[in-house]
């Protein structure tokens, strides 16, 4: 504990200060009651967590798409704040976490190629960091105008494998590429976690990433049974090939189940059953976030001076930004405040 306290006291204090600016449920209630996205922009412009990001924009002229760019960038901005403050040892974890942002950028690039109406996140300010820490040449990747150009820009990187993974498909879809990225990402993360020398950091990451992979697999299997007519062989190819708390025989039974309801019945026999009480897709998503919320809170309580404080904050920040974007969408479609709050809580 003594060594951990010395090593993490500085960044733990930094994280605590940043966490004090996370948006509370009372603030979300105010935001959900806003009459326009410009009102939300004005509110965030005066909020300590977002005022720097919004300061150079006229909140009265911002539209929803521009606000999403600003909010997404705030996640990267907070990551950079922690990276600059971190020690060499703490940066080892942040380098591991960084692949999450590479995946998000690549998914946005694929979406843009499949649907030209999609907007890429403006990452000009992030270029120097990518240049130093990433295996992908960000300017070339985001400027690719075809799959061939994107494949060429990714040669020599970890993500070159993505094109080989979907090569067997005669007409690959956006879904194929996104799934290939997820499979590559989580498999790579899992292998790298096992090589981390620090036992407490390895334990925290194993538990949070292991549970995340289990829960994502359950959601994908359920959705494939309810909404898509996928063969068992196709489904085996789509899931993350790792089980943490899911028993192998239960995992196999879920994939080979005839219906989505059978998947839910099997879910009731797993470690995660105590967190699941309803029978719809939204409940599965709530279960996913509820379990991760709980895991991160427990990890911070047990090991406050460890990698847990960093990973927990980054998880909460990203979740907060997703909720803010949902609020903007709700206001855009004139949903009642109560309905918006139900979606994000």
């Amino acid at each position: 504990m003594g060594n951990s306290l010395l090593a993490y006291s500085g960044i733990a204090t930094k994280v605590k200060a940043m966490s004090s600016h996370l948006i509370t449920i009372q603030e979300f209630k105010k935001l959900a009651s806003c009459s326009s996205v410009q009102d939300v922009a004005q509110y965030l412009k005066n909020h300590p967590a977002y005022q720097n990001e919004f300061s150079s924009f006229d909140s009265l002229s911002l539209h929803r798409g521009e606000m999403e760019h600003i909010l997404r960038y705030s996640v990267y901005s907070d990551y950079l704040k922690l990276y600059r403050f971190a020690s060499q040892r703490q940066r080892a974890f942040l380098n591991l976490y960084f692949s999450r942002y590479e995946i998000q950028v690549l998914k946005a690039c694929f979406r843009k190629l499949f649907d030209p109406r999609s907007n890429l996140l403006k990452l000009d300010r992030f270029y120097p960091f990518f240049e130093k820490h990433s295996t992908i040449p960000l300017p070339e990747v985001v400027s690719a105008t075809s799959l061939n150009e994107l494949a060429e820009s990714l040669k020599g990187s970890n993500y070159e494998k993505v094109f080989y993974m979907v090569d067997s498909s005669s007409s690959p879809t956006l879904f194929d590429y996104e799934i290939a990225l997820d499979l590559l990402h989580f498999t790579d993360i899992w292998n790298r976690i096992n090589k981390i020398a620090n036992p407490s950091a390895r334990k925290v990451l194993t538990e949070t990433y292991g549970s995340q992979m289990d829960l994502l697999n359950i959601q994908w299997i359920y959705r494939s049974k309810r909404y898509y007519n996928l063969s068992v062989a196709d489904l085996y190819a789509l899931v993350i090939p790792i089980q943490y708390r899911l028993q192998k025989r239960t995992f196999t039974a879920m994939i080979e189940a005839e219906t989505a309801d059978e998947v839910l019945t099997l879910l009731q026999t797993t470690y995660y059953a105590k967190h699941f009480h309803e029978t719809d897709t939204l409940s599965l998503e709530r279960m996913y976030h509820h379990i991760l919320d709980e895991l991160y809170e427990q990890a911070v309580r047990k090991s406050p001076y460890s990698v847990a404080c960093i990973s927990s904050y980054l998880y909460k920040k990203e979740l907060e930004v997703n909720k803010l974007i949902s609020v903007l969408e709700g206001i855009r479609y004139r949903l009642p405040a109560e309905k918006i709050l139900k979606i994000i809580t």
Side-chain angles (χ1 to χ4, degrees):
M1 176 68 177
N3 288 339
S4 295
L5 177 59
L6 287 172
Y8 278 89
S9 60
I11 200 162
T13 302
K14 177 73 171 175
V15 167
K16 188 174 181 180
M18 292 170 69
S19 297
S20 70
H21 294 151
L22 289 170
I23 293 178
T24 65
I25 186 61
Q26 293 304 319
E27 290 175 312
F28 269 117
K29 286 179 180 177
K30 290 180 183 177
L31 289 165
S33 300
C34 287
S35 58
S36 69
V37 295
Q38 287 76 27
D39 287 345
V40 176
Q42 188 59 42
Y43 186 95
L44 294 176
K45 195 169 186 175
N46 296 315
H47 194 282
Y50 296 96
Q51 58 189 8
N52 287 340
E53 303 304 329
F54 279 86
S55 62
S56 59
F57 296 91
D58 177 7
S59 55
L60 296 178
S61 62
L62 281 172
H63 59 70
R64 196 210 64 83
E66 290 172 323
M67 286 185 65
E68 181 173 347
H69 282 313
I70 298 168
L71 290 169
R72 295 286 185 204
Y73 186 82
S74 74
V75 177
Y76 300 138
S77 180
D78 278 11
Y79 173 89
L80 287 176
K81 289 176 189 175
L82 292 175
Y83 196 92
R84 294 188 187 110
F85 199 85
S87 67
Q88 204 62 33
R89 179 176 168 185
Q90 292 147 9
R91 286 183 177 185
F93 161 70
L94 287 166
N95 287 335
L96 175 72
Y97 195 92
F98 180 71
S99 64
R100 179 175 182 82
Y101 301 142
E102 289 182 322
I103 291 289
Q104 290 174 352
V105 169
L106 289 174
K107 283 187 175 183
C109 290
F110 277 110
R111 284 193 290 271
K112 181 68 175 175
L113 293 177
F114 278 88
D115 181 3
R117 295 170 298 176
S118 299
N119 292 317
L120 281 176
L121 183 60
K122 295 174 183 176
L123 291 171
D124 307 51
R125 289 179 290 173
F126 215 56
Y127 281 175
F129 191 86
F130 260 79
E131 188 175 352
K132 186 174 181 181
H133 298 277
S134 177
T135 60
I136 65 174
L138 190 59
E140 289 87 344
V141 165
V142 299
S143 62
T145 58
S146 68
L147 288 173
N148 285 339
E149 281 187 23
L150 185 56
E152 189 64 29
S153 70
L154 291 174
K155 278 191 175 178
S157 75
N158 294 337
Y159 303 107
E160 185 179 3
K161 301 175 190 174
V162 169
F163 291 92
Y164 295 111
M165 291 172 75
V166 297
D167 196 44
S168 58
S169 174
S170 57
S171 53
T173 64
L174 172 61
F175 182 73
D176 294 325
Y177 285 108
E178 291 192 328
I179 286 292
L181 282 169
D182 284 332
L183 289 172
L184 182 66
H185 174 60
F186 283 108
T187 304
D188 181 52
I189 286 284
W190 193 251
N191 291 335
R192 290 165 69 187
I193 286 173
N194 291 331
K195 295 175 184 176
I196 292 176
N198 185 295
S200 65
R202 191 166 62 244
K203 184 177 185 298
V204 167
L205 297 175
T206 297
E207 192 160 46
T208 52
Y209 275 99
S211 297
Q212 187 175 351
M213 287 187 285
D214 281 347
L215 294 166
L216 285 172
N217 272 338
I218 291 170
Q219 286 189 71
W220 287 346
I221 293 169
Y222 175 84
R223 289 180 64 83
S224 73
K225 302 293 180 184
R226 182 156 301 278
Y227 302 112
Y228 309 107
N229 188 27
L230 295 178
S231 69
V232 171
D234 286 339
L235 192 47
Y236 269 116
L238 289 177
V239 294
I240 301 166
I242 295 160
Q243 294 86 54
Y244 177 54
R245 293 190 186 276
L246 278 180
Q247 294 184 350
K248 178 70 175 177
R249 64 175 180 274
T250 306
F251 180 67
T252 301
M254 283 181 167
I255 291 177
E256 298 181 359
E258 293 290 331
T259 66
D261 289 339
E262 285 182 46
V263 175
L264 295 182
T265 300
L266 288 163
L267 171 58
Q268 300 296 344
T269 70
T270 71
Y271 168 84
Y272 303 105
K274 60 185 177 182
H275 299 279
F276 183 77
H277 308 292
E278 301 174 63
T279 55
D280 59 65
T281 309
L282 185 58
S283 297
L284 282 175
E285 292 172 3
R286 284 177 179 150
M287 178 186 74
Y288 172 81
H289 289 298
H290 175 74
I291 292 173
L292 288 183
D293 289 348
E294 194 173 273
L295 282 172
Y296 280 114
E297 289 297 331
Q298 287 177 356
V300 172
R301 281 199 303 271
K302 291 177 183 176
S303 307
Y305 298 102
S306 74
V307 70
C309 71
I310 305 173
S311 59
S312 176
Y313 176 78
L314 291 171
Y315 165 75
K316 289 177 182 177
K317 178 67 177 187
E318 195 166 330
L319 184 60
E320 175 177 286
V321 164
N322 288 337
K323 287 181 178 181
L324 286 170
I325 291 169
S326 294
V327 169
L328 292 174
E329 281 293 289
I331 292 171
R332 178 189 180 191
Y333 290 107
R334 302 187 181 283
L335 298 180
E338 299 77 23
K339 189 165 186 179
I340 294 174
L341 286 170
K342 188 174 182 182
I343 291 170
I344 66 174
T345 57

